[in-house]
């Protein structure tokens, strides 16, 4: 299997990854801990919204009939019977010839069918027994009716939705102090490579520090998973199988970096030849990262990403994150693709679609993508500023500046951060 590989598309690879994924169970969390989690159930309105008829502004609750013919020149006087603050329950009825002073959000008194704003009455600042109305109103004007936005029992948020600030406001409105959310997937992280040093170790000849583990752990956490970091794995096959088995017991799925290629010490590639391992794929039509591999072992999924930092970043984005979203029952499976104008020519030939990290700009309503020039396979420093992957189709000619290319945005463009 190591040398005999069947190439599949990104879509096919994601399809195979998702095909036999179960969904994780649910748990209850406090509302203040629910931000970013995935709703496990549909959420129903526990009351009408608004829960009572109320005034949307500061003014006077009146009977529209009583305002007929009112103008600035010929204001109509009404007797003020009550002042209703937000939170209070009115005690007086608005009868013919009367009005109640009412504040924004306060409950509408019985008998009233319209509210006139202070600015359309004479001397609104004076707490007098009488108000003079300067405009004619129609019944129902300036009212928020009970249930006009939401009816009790209707679904206000759906299972699978990621809880954002707006969702939290909805949950609070309907009294959900505890929220049913999907359990976070525990994602094991195993870096392979005898050359890898811990971050706090000094450099020695031939070795490099492990940068993939912390990068992947951030991507996992950002997508709602719990990264579980395992001790690095040297490139030794007998050790690998035992260690991977032990890791799998503790997690919902495992992500590895490195060792998927055809090198003599590529442990993950060797693993695909083991009889108790089910191979999902071991070559995808992408650059960088074509040897990206996926396996099922002990009934658990292993996403085996290339160790090359750029390929690892791309592979995590294209393959791992959709798995995490699907496990949680939310989000679109495939990364969203949009179209943009290529800012400058890229003519390096490639047998597979090439995914170039880049940045996005907008000019006169058109979206431009600017691939990083510094795209050598092992380079990693442009990852921090990357906003998207520009996809250059396979073939000998690449794409010219001004041509349209597909783009996968993966971070908010800099323009929204003001840089
Ligand atoms: P591999 O996929 O194991 O063939 O590794 C490809 C390249 O990525 C090699 O140059 C490795 O040294 C490098 N590499 C592998 N794992 C990591 C890692 N965790 N952090 C940084 N670089 C890595
Ligand atoms: Mg390696």
């Amino acid at each position: 299997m190591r040398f005999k590989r069947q190439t599949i598309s990104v879509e096919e690879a994601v399809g195979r990854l998702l095909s036999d994924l179960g969904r994780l169970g649910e748990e209850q969390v406090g509302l203040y801990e629910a931000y970013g989690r995935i709703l496990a159930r549909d959420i129903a309105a526990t009351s009408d919204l608004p829960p009572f008829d109320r005034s949307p502004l500061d003014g006077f609750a009146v009977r529209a009939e009583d305002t007929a013919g009112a103008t600035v020149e010929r204001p109509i006087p009404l007797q003020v019977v009550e002042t209703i603050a937000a939170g209070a329950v009115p005690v007086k009825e608005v009868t013919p010839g009367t009005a109640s002073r009412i504040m924004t959000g306060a409950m509408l008194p019985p008998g009233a069918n319209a509210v006139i704003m202070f600015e359309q009455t004479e001397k609104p600042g004076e707490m007098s027994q009488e108000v003079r109305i300067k405009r004619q109103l129609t019944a129902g004007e300036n009212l928020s009716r009970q249930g006009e936005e939401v009816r009790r029992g209707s679904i206000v948020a759906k299972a699978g939705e990621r809880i954002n600030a707006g969702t939290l406001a909805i949950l609070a409105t309907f009294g959900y102090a505890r929220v049913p959310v999907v359990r976070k997937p525990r994602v094991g992280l195993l870096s392979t490579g005898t050359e890898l040093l811990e971050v706090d170790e000094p450099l020695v000849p031939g070795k490099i520090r492990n940068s993939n583990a912390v990068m992947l752990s951030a991507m996992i956490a950002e997508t709602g998973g719990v990264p579980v970091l395992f001790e690095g794995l040297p490139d030794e096959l007998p050790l690998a199988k035992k260690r991977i088995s032990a890791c799998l017991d503790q997690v919902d799925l495992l992500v590895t970096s490195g060792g998927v290629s055809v090198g003599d010490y590529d442990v993950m590639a060797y693993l695909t030849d083991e009889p108790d391992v089910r191979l999902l794929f071991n070559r995808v039509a992408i650059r960088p990262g074509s040897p990206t591999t996926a396996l099922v072992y002990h009934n658990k999924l292993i996403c085996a990403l290339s160790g090359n930092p750029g390929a690892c970043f791309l592979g995590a984005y294209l393959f791992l994150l959709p798995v995490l979203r699907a496990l949680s029952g939310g989000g679109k499976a495939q990364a969203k693709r949009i179209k943009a104008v290529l800012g400058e020519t890229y003519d390096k030939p490639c047998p597979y679609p090439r995914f170039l990290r880049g940045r996005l700009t907008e000019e006169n309503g058109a979206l431009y993508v600017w691939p990083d020039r510094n795209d050598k396979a092992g380079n990693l420093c442009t990852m921090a500023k990357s906003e998207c992957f520009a996809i250059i189709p396979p073939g000998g000619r690449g794409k010219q500046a001004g041509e349209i290319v597909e783009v996968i945005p993966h971070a908010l463009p800099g323009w929204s951060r003001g840089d």
Side-chain angles (χ1 to χ4, degrees), residues 192-193 195 235 258-259 266:
T192 77
E195 76 276 33
D235 298 314
D266 281 341

Side-chain angles (χ1 to χ4, degrees), residues 14-37:
V14 173
R16 290 187 193 182
L17 283 167
L18 302 189
S19 65
D20 51 14
L21 275 188
R23 215 186 96 172
L24 298 168
E26 66 176 75
E27 60 187 2
Q28 299 274 330
V29 295
L31 186 59
Y32 277 83
E33 282 80 58
Y35 178 72
R37 301 295 298 270

Side-chain angles (χ1 to χ4, degrees), residues 298-350:
H298 290 319
N299 254 330
K300 298 238 170 98
L301 183 63
I302 304 177
C303 276
L305 305 174
S306 172
N308 176 308
C312 189
F313 182 66
L314 174 67
Y317 196 79
L318 293 180
F319 307 113
L320 172 62
L321 302 195
V323 167
L324 293 188
R325 285 193 286 267
L327 268 178
S328 312
K332 290 244 177 341
Q334 302 276 352
K336 174 153 178 70
R337 295 184 181 204
I338 58 174
K339 295 220 163 85
V341 182
L342 188 63
E344 60 184 43
T345 298
Y346 188 93
D347 52 12
K348 213 151 119 188
C350 186

Side-chain angles (χ1 to χ4, degrees), residues 191-192 195-196 208-212 257-259 266 306-309:
S191 310
T192 77
E195 76 276 33
L196 297 180
I208 58 166
R209 296 194 184 96
N210 180 352
S211 60
N212 288 344
S257 93
D266 281 341
S306 172
N308 176 308

